[in-house]
C-alpha cells in the first residue's frame, strides 16, 4: 500500500464505505472495494496502535518538574 499518512488512509476508507453503501457497484467491484477497505482499515488500526504506544502524559510534580507517564486508557 502506497499510503503513508493515517489521514489519507482514513479518507480512502471513508470513500470505500460510501461506495459500498451506495449499492451501485457490481459484485466484483464491491469485492474489490471491500478488499481495499480491509487494507485501509488494517493500516489505520496499525497507525493508531503505534500512536497509542507513543503517547505519553506530562505530569507536573510538586517541585515544578515534569515526569512522563505512559498513556493509560480510561475505563
Amino acid at each position: 500500500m502506497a499510503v503513508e499518512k493515517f489521514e489519507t488512509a482514513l479518507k480512502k476508507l471513508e470513500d470505500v464505505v460510501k461506495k459500498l453503501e451506495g449499492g451501485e457497484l457490481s459484485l466484483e467491484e464491491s469485492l474489490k472495494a471491500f478488499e481495499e477497505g480491509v487494507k485501509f482499515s488494517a493500516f489505520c488500526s496499525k497507525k493508531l496502535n503505534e500512536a497509542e504506544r507513543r503517547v505519553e502524559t506530562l505530569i507536573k510534580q510538586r517541585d515544578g518538574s515534569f515526569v512522563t507517564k505512559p498513556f493509560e486508557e480510561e475505563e
Side-chain angles (χ1 to χ4, degrees), residues 59-67:
I59 300 174
K60 190 173 186 178
Q61 301 295 297
R62 290 183 183 176
D63 65 0
S65 65
F66 290 89
V67 296

Side-chain angles (χ1 to χ4, degrees), residues 17-30:
V17 170
K18 285 180 187 174
K19 283 182 189 176
L20 290 171
E21 289 179 341
E24 297 182 14
L25 298 176
S26 68
L27 176 60
E28 193 61 37
E29 291 169 331
S30 294

Side-chain angles (χ1 to χ4, degrees), residues 39-54:
K39 290 178 186 175
F40 291 131
S41 176
F43 179 84
C44 289
S45 180
K46 179 183 172 193
K47 288 295 186 183
L48 288 172
N49 288 334
E50 289 172 2
E52 184 177 321
R53 286 191 299 265
R54 293 174 52 192

